[in-house]
Amino acid sequence: MTGTVALQVQGLTRRYGTRVAVDDLHLTVHEGDVYGFLGPNGAGKTTAMRCILGLIRPDAGSISVFGEPDPVRARRHVGAIVETPAFHGWMSGRANLEQACAYAGIAGAEVQTEIGRVLDRVGLTERAIDRAGTYSLGMKQRLAIARALLGRPRLMLLDEPTNGLDPRGMREMRDLIRSLALHDRITIFISSHLLAEVAAICNRVGIIQEGRLRAEGRVDALIGEGNTAPIVEVGSAEPDALEAVVAAVEGAEPLGPGPNGRLLVRLDAITPEGLARALVQSGVPMTALVPTERNLEDVFLEVTR
Amino acid sequence: MSGIPHLSALVRAEVRKLASRTSVRLSIVALVLLGLVMPLILLLISSMVTVTTEAGQAQMKPPSFDAAMVLTTVLTMRNFFLFRAMVIAVVAVSFAGELVARTLREDLVRPVTRGTVLLAKWLALQVFVAVGLFVPLVVAGLLGLVCFGPGEGFVDTLLGAAITWAGDAGFATLVMGISLVLRSVPGTIGGVFLYWVLDRALGWGIKGAEKAQPLLEKLFEGWGMAEAATALHVAVFLRPWLPSSAFDIWWDYVPGAPLVWQSWVALVVYTALAYTVAWSVFRRIDVD
């Protein structure tokens, strides 16, 4: 990290009637960061990203990209994918990129060179002459990355880039994003629900809830700090009954189902042995009680509780 | 790093995109066919009415068609409903359609102002309007010249075509404004079509009443309906200022007669107003 600020958001606020979608949001993304922008559904992630891209007018606040406060000039540095990318389906992938070149200010002989470069970067050269409407979702996402790469942006904003992709597509997209950060030296700002994805590729995260930034920092620091109470996974054939019993156990707090379906329980003032004893006494059938390591999901659940 | 795009590059890109749309291609094909078919129909008519006697002398004089008449016929056919329907369809998919399909969003995340985007799309639309006029004119004009010769009113007809272009340019701007206000393809098509039919009916109704004004005024007076006579007078006075008179300005064009200046002023005002409304909406809308 060089210390140069790639994206600075200060006091960003957007209301829809009486509902505040983004509320005095402050965040900083440094050059070289792969920044995960996390939050539950309706937390204001997409609204914030659209404000940053100039698609939605904020009610208050300021945004600068590499120190450029003018939104039009700032967008010279930015490539973006906003939710499901849209293309002119009747045009070829290459023709769609030619359209995008005009809007990116790329002209003359540079157009074909640049299109060749980005198609090669995402591995779509052979299918470039096919109509975009015939592409699979994974290919559309790659074409969207190619389009976002036109003009060699220094910052990429990716809003749920793995949405709807199958496991192979998600893996490819994750590798591509990593590669863009490592080899192309592009600063990445990525919003996602998939905490494991974010944990795998991001060095910093910001967690937003009800339009406000609740936590921000390095992933390892966030995991290491804060509430260090141990968390265990408890399995049961009667998960509803289990959750009710755990809620009644003093010193234990159910956090909801974990990634493998077991109930996550934070042990604030009770040992694992104590919890096991309480569950056995309650008569709820228990199939497993496994200590877990604190991870980004735990941080997320704590922050957005 | 991207540069700031030039307006000319954006217009070229928008024209390329328009030209690749099926609706535009079908429109151009239909207009070429119109330019081809109408002269041939007139040629057929002129040959069918030539009847010769047993002595070999012409009994009926065939209609004396010329290229000017061919052009006038083609223009009239085009102007009535055909091209306006095409304009509505093309504008609906280019503006509301792109907002709904979210392809416009992909342009707006680029280093370009919304004003420039709107201007580029409007200029591309005007290219379509111009092509939609000149394609049938050139086809029908050439065919008419070959089949019938130029005729005396050729230059007047070309002036009429230029006037038609002005009306079409204004109408396309109006549809663009409505499309951005409604932001729905069916809404744009339905809304503009309904407005257009009602406005035309009103304009034509008043025009018909204007022609029969002396007779109607006598009737109204005879029936003791002085208010109706006054209303008719006001309607006739206002007719050149109506949108129908402005956007259908070709309708009042009579070769050699002075132009109806009120309709020209109204055309400029309505076009500027439609563009201003489109711009004020486009400048502020949240794009999903």
Side-chain angles (χ1 to χ4, degrees):
Chain A
M1 193 167 74
T2 63
T4 304
V5 174
L7 172 66
Q8 179 96 57
V9 176
Q10 290 179 311
L12 187 70
T13 302
R14 171 64 203 227
R15 298 181 191 87
Y16 292 101
T18 55
R19 189 175 73 83
V20 184
V22 179
D23 187 9
D24 193 30
L25 179 69
H26 294 258
L27 57 85
T28 304
V29 179
H30 296 280
E31 186 173 28
D33 273 350
V34 181
Y35 187 104
F37 192 43
L38 307 175
N41 284 337
K45 300 189 298 293
T46 297
T47 302
M49 290 191 90
R50 286 183 175 145
C51 286
I52 293 167
L53 288 167
L55 296 172
I56 290 178
R57 294 164 65 90
D59 293 313
S62 66
I63 296 158
S64 69
V65 177
F66 288 102
E68 178 59 75
D70 177 75
V72 173
R73 291 187 172 279
R75 290 201 293 269
R76 289 181 306 163
H77 302 287
V78 178
I81 298 180
V82 185
E83 287 188 324
T84 309
F87 297 98
H88 304 294
W90 73 92
M91 294 166 74
S92 68
R94 180 176 284 274
N96 271 282
L97 294 179
E98 285 169 353
Q99 283 291 122
C101 277
Y103 279 86
I106 301 165
E110 202 189 340
V111 170
Q112 293 309 323
T113 309
E114 185 68 354
I115 288 175
R117 180 184 75 83
V118 297
L119 283 172
D120 188 47
R121 190 72 185 79
V122 300
L124 266 183
T125 306
E126 288 183 6
R127 294 290 306 273
I129 57 168
D130 294 344
R131 288 172 52 200
T134 65
Y135 285 10
S136 68
L137 187 58
M139 289 169 66
K140 282 181 179 167
Q141 290 288 45
R142 281 191 282 155
L143 184 61
I145 292 270
R147 181 168 59 189
L149 284 172
L150 289 170
R152 297 179 184 272
R154 297 167 70 190
L155 170 67
M156 281 190 84
L157 271 66
L158 307 174
D159 188 11
E160 306 283 358
T162 52
N163 249 7
L165 295 181
D166 60 20
R168 180 182 298 274
M170 287 169 68
R171 176 69 176 270
E172 286 175 0
M173 183 60 68
R174 191 170 63 214
D175 291 346
L176 185 55
I177 292 168
R178 268 206 195 107
S179 167
L180 292 173
L182 284 173
H183 299 119
D184 299 74
R185 315 293 300 164
I186 297 173
T187 304
I188 308 279
F189 183 84
I190 179 171
S191 88
S192 178
H193 290 102
L194 304 173
L195 300 177
E197 291 285 319
V198 170
I201 60 176
C202 295
N203 65 319
R204 292 182 73 230
V205 295
I207 301 175
I208 183 176
Q209 188 183 27
E210 293 173 347
R212 278 182 167 270
L213 194 68
R214 303 294 182 186
E216 186 184 44
R218 294 189 60 83
V219 174
D220 48 5
L222 284 174
I223 290 172
E225 73 182 19
N227 194 330
T228 54
I231 293 175
V232 293
E233 290 177 4
V234 184
S236 172
E238 296 173 17
D240 292 340
L242 174 70
E243 188 162 356
V245 168
V246 169
V249 174
E250 195 173 339
E253 184 184 0
L255 298 174
N260 54 12
R262 291 174 181 160
L263 182 67
L264 293 173
V265 181
R266 188 172 57 228
L267 307 181
D268 293 321
I270 190 170
T271 61
E273 295 80 7
L275 176 67
R277 202 175 303 119
L279 292 174
V280 169
Q281 285 172 359
S282 72
V284 174
M286 183 172 56
T287 56
L289 196 156
V290 183
T292 64
E293 285 187 13
R294 187 173 148 82
N295 58 24
L296 188 58
E297 187 169 70
D298 302 323
V299 175
F300 180 85
L301 289 171
E302 283 166 12
V303 170
T304 59
R305 210 162 11 146
Chain B
M1 187 174 72
S2 301
I4 300 292
H6 292 287
L7 177 64
S8 60
L10 298 186
V11 175
R12 282 198 301 276
E14 287 297 325
V15 169
R16 273 199 305 272
K17 185 166 68 185
L18 265 185
S20 69
R21 283 188 184 278
T22 306
S23 56
V24 171
R25 290 183 171 179
L26 286 176
S27 298
I28 301 298
V29 168
L31 292 167
V32 169
L33 286 175
L34 180 69
L36 280 174
V37 168
M38 287 314 296
L40 296 178
I41 289 176
L42 295 181
L43 190 63
L44 194 64
I45 290 171
S46 68
S47 64
M48 282 172 68
V49 296
T50 305
V51 179
T52 53
T53 61
E54 286 179 359
Q57 291 179 328
Q59 191 174 44
M60 289 178 66
K61 189 181 175 187
S64 55
F65 294 128
D66 56 35
M69 289 181 70
V70 170
L71 285 183
T72 304
T73 310
V74 168
L75 267 181
T76 308
M77 293 291 291
R78 170 197 173 280
N79 291 358
F80 259 114
F81 290 104
L82 184 67
F83 191 64
R84 292 292 164 94
M86 292 171 181
V87 167
I88 294 171
V90 168
V91 174
V93 295
S94 299
F95 289 86
E98 286 213 23
L99 273 169
V100 172
R102 296 174 176 170
T103 47
L104 197 52
R105 175 183 73 193
E106 309 297 343
D107 298 335
L108 295 178
V109 299
R110 294 293 175 179
V112 59
T113 65
R114 291 195 180 191
T116 308
V117 173
L118 185 69
L119 184 58
K121 292 180 82 67
W122 181 78
L123 288 171
L125 181 61
Q126 296 308 328
V127 171
F128 168 69
V129 166
V131 169
L133 175 64
F134 289 108
V135 161
L137 271 189
V138 168
V139 174
L142 288 176
L143 208 53
L145 284 172
V146 170
C147 294
F148 306 109
E152 290 180 355
F154 199 72
V155 175
D156 286 331
T157 307
L158 290 181
L159 182 58
I163 292 170
T164 294
W165 173 79
D168 286 345
F171 182 74
T173 311
L174 172 76
V175 182
M176 179 180 84
I178 293 172
S179 188
L180 286 173
V181 169
L182 296 179
R183 277 166 261 164
S184 147
V185 174
T188 302
I189 293 173
V192 176
F193 194 77
L194 189 64
Y195 147 76
W196 179 41
V197 169
L198 291 175
D199 183 52
R200 264 215 159 153
L202 179 67
W204 287 352
I206 296 175
K207 193 171 175 100
E210 188 178 356
K211 287 188 174 168
Q213 191 174 6
L215 175 65
L216 286 174
E217 282 183 346
K218 275 184 185 172
L219 283 174
F220 290 147
E221 284 171 18
W223 295 336
M225 298 169 65
E227 295 85 357
T230 306
L232 175 63
H233 191 75
V234 171
V236 169
F237 173 77
L238 289 177
R239 193 188 69 80
W241 298 95
L242 292 177
S244 55
S245 301
F247 297 123
D248 291 343
I249 198 161
W250 61 277
W251 186 256
D252 284 328
Y253 167 64
V254 178
L259 296 173
V260 183
W261 66 267
Q262 296 97 324
S263 298
W264 282 97
V265 172
L267 176 61
V268 171
V269 169
Y270 290 141
T271 303
L273 192 63
Y275 193 93
T276 305
V277 168
W279 160 232
S280 63
V281 170
F282 192 60
R283 189 168 63 97
R284 300 190 66 84
I285 51 173
D286 292 339
V287 177
D288 286 335

